[in-house]
């Protein structure tokens, strides 16, 4: 059933009465939907920028928006990018392969697996690595007590080596090497 009224003659009170909706619920719904309609242009622009630059985060997108004279809070950009699953893809760092575990040599079993430590001097762990110095390289070796996590003895007399002590061990075809 239509009435002979033009659209300009309908006000919000009349439309709410005709629809059987209270004015409060109309304004509540309008306040929820009006901001979403207002940010659709911004959302579209953010989506185009983020898809064109996959490694750009919300800070870089905000800088691009400022360049195009949009005044938008960074938290709003972050929220929109999070809602649309547009957060940047992180570039995987380069990690060089250091160990080839697929070899034909005998592998020594881990004898320390399953040991429950309840005191010092039950299990000692060690590691060695080399350091590139300006003109040569040096080996750095460390021995730790697994229970107390303290550095183990560095000399034969039972006392730990003073920090920073460097001992020359020998020479190779590539030059001399030292134990730190």
């Amino acid at each position: 059933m239509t009435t002979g009224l033009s659209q300009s003659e309908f006000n919000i009170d009349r439309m709410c009465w005709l629809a059987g909706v209270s004015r409060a619920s109309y304004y509540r719904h309008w306040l929820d939907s009006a901001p979403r309609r207002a940010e659709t242009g911004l959302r579209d622009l953010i989506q185009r920028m983020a898809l064109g630059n996959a490694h750009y985060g919300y800070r870089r997108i905000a800088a691009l928006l400022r360049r195009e004279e949009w005044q938008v809070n960074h938290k709003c950009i972050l929220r929109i990018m999070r809602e649309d699953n547009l957060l940047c893809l992180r570039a995987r760092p380069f990690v060089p392969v250091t160990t080839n575990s697929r070899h034909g040599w005998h592998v020594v079993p881990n004898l320390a697996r399953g040991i429950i430590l309840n005191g010092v001097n039950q299990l000692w762990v060690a590691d060695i690595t080399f350091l590139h110095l300006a003109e040569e390289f040096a080996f750095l070796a460390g021995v730790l007590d697994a229970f107390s996590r303290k550095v183990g003895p560095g000399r034969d007399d039972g006392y730990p080596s003073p920090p920073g002590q460097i001992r020359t061990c020998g020479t190779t075809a590539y030059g001399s090497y030292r134990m730190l």
Side-chain angles (χ1 to χ4, degrees), residues 4-25:
L5 298 173
S6 67
Q7 190 174 4
S8 63
E9 295 178 21
F10 283 113
N11 60 10
I12 293 175
D13 289 334
R14 178 119 171 106
M15 288 189 293
C16 289
W17 180 80
L18 287 172
V21 177
S22 70
R23 265 187 329 161
S25 63

Side-chain angles (χ1 to χ4, degrees), residues 139 141 154-155 161 164-170 177-180:
F139 287 97
R155 298 190 299 208
S161 298
Q165 178 184 4
I166 297 174
R167 292 177 283 165
T168 302
C169 290
Y177 60 92
R178 301 183 291 169
M179 291 291 279
L180 297 177

